[in-house]
């Protein structure tokens, strides 16, 4: 049997209290096998980011459990969660969150400095096809290149899991496909489990598993037996 990256049971998140309470997650159950590409689809406000933030160790649950391998994230202390994020997790967001005053290499080095088992910043940039751009500042790079720097930064610590929250949301479809290619390569070369939240449903065609979210819960899970290459996806 395939090992699980995550086992999630009854995961619940309520923001606020009383009549202003928002039920962001209403008891989510999920098994996520290690090494898969998972695409999460669903309307805005359905709880996708909340799920990623909790299992990525950025936010805490109100109820339920989430196991990473055999560690229960929902009972960890802040310090343990920080260790977990630092050792195991990479995040990529829609807006690249690069430091404008640092070069591509220096942006990646921000992470490798605090990591236990980093790869060289140059190697991470090479993996995303930006070896020649290491000394450029974000303002000298296109949107797609900036996102690839953000991916290099996220993978430089050799994470077990990469969480990508709308990574192609600010990109045109050609550039978006190039970014998806990089994610697929990272999945294959580093064996990382990769979550991709997106509004572009076609992205599901490159996934091992497509999870449809609605109203704080999982509506449908599709195992994709006929994966396409990123270059063959159209949206
Ligand atoms: P999605 O990523 O699917 O668009 P989110 O997980 O961001 O959805 O949000 C789910 C629900 O939780 C939404 O109603 C949103 O407004 C609410 N929410 C998210 N974060 C917070 C927060 N920090 N405080 C209050 N409500 C929040
Ligand atoms: Mg979101």
């Amino acid at each position: 049997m395939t090992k699980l990256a995550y086992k999630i049971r009854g995961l619940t998140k309520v923001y606020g209290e009383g009549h202003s309470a928002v039920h962001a997650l209403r008891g989510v159950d999920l098994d996520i096998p290690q090494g898969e590409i998972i695409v999460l689809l669903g309307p805005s406000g359905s709880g996708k980011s909340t799920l990623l933030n909790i299992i990525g160790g950025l936010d805490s649950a109100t109820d339920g459990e989430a196991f990473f391998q055999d560690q229960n994230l929902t009972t960890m202390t802040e310090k343990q969660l920080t260790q977990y994020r630092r050792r195991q997790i990479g995040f990529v967001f829609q807006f690249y969150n690069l430091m404008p005053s640092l070069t591509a290499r220096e942006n990646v080095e921000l992470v490798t400095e605090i990591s236990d088992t980093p790869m060289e910043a140059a190697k991470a940039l090479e993996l995303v096809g930006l070896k020649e751009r290491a000394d450029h500042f974000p303002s000298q790079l296109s949107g797609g290149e900036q996102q690839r720097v953000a991916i290099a930064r996220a993978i430089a610590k050799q994470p077990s899991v990469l969480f990508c929250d709308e990574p192609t949301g600010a990109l045109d479809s050609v550039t978006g496909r190039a970014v998806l290619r990089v994610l697929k390569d990272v999945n294959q070369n580093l064996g990382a489990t990769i979550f991709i939240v997106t509004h572009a449903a076609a992205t599901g065609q490159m996934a091992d598993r497509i999870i449809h979210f609605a109203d704080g819960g999982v509506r449908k899970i599709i195992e994709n037996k006929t994966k396409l290459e990123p270059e063959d996806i159209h949206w």
Side-chain angles (χ1 to χ4, degrees), residues 45-58:
S46 57
K48 306 179 299 295
S49 294
T50 302
L51 175 68
L52 259 52
N53 290 343
I54 293 174
I55 65 176
L58 290 175

Side-chain angles (χ1 to χ4, degrees), residues 1-223:
M1 224 188 89
T2 342
K3 273 185 93 173
L4 291 183
Y6 291 95
K7 189 173 110 181
I8 299 166
R9 293 293 180 270
L11 199 69
T12 302
K13 180 67 179 183
V14 184
Y15 290 106
E17 302 182 352
H19 64 272
S20 64
V22 176
H23 294 261
L25 295 179
R26 301 172 184 268
V28 169
D29 298 327
L30 275 176
D31 286 340
I32 306 292
Q34 243 169 48
E36 288 199 351
I37 296 178
I38 310 285
V39 165
L40 271 156
L41 302 172
S44 185
S46 57
K48 306 179 299 295
S49 294
T50 302
L51 175 68
L52 259 52
N53 290 343
I54 293 174
I55 65 176
L58 290 175
D59 200 354
S60 60
T62 309
D63 203 357
E65 292 181 320
F67 291 87
F68 168 72
Q69 296 168 355
D70 52 2
Q71 309 170 55
N72 189 348
L73 300 173
T74 49
T75 58
M76 281 189 188
T77 62
E78 273 302 318
K79 202 171 161 187
Q80 289 171 318
L81 276 179
T82 303
Q83 285 301 321
Y84 162 68
R85 280 199 309 273
R86 208 171 264 184
R87 295 211 175 110
Q88 313 282 5
I89 304 301
F91 270 98
V92 175
F93 298 102
Q94 178 174 2
F95 301 105
Y96 330 115
N97 302 317
L98 301 176
M99 300 285 286
S101 61
L102 300 180
T103 64
R105 188 202 322 278
E106 290 164 345
N107 267 282
V108 175
E109 283 169 351
L110 281 181
V111 167
T112 56
E113 277 164 14
I114 60 163
S115 165
D116 297 334
T117 54
M119 62 176 90
E120 292 285 324
K123 164 83 175 161
L125 287 166
E126 188 179 346
L127 282 173
V128 302
L130 287 179
K131 198 174 155 195
E132 314 301 329
R133 295 276 197 279
D135 296 317
H136 289 222
F137 290 95
S139 63
Q140 299 170 317
L141 299 170
S142 70
E145 288 169 342
Q146 290 181 61
Q147 187 61 297
R148 279 148 63 194
V149 175
I151 294 171
R153 179 180 58 186
I155 63 173
K157 60 168 136 173
Q158 313 215 51
S160 310
V161 189
L162 196 56
F163 292 104
C164 308
D165 201 344
E166 307 199 23
T168 59
L171 304 174
D172 65 79
S173 61
V174 172
T175 313
R177 273 195 289 280
V179 164
L180 294 176
R181 161 53 58 194
V182 168
L183 293 177
K184 171 138 193 193
D185 289 347
V186 167
N187 170 254
Q188 289 189 326
N189 297 336
L190 302 181
T193 306
I194 302 192
F195 288 82
I196 305 173
V197 169
T198 179
H199 287 289
T203 306
Q205 295 170 350
M206 67 176 275
D208 294 287
R209 197 173 297 266
I210 304 153
I211 299 174
H212 288 263
F213 243 73
D215 195 23
V218 174
R219 285 295 163 272
K220 194 166 60 174
I221 301 173
I222 296 166
E223 281 188 54

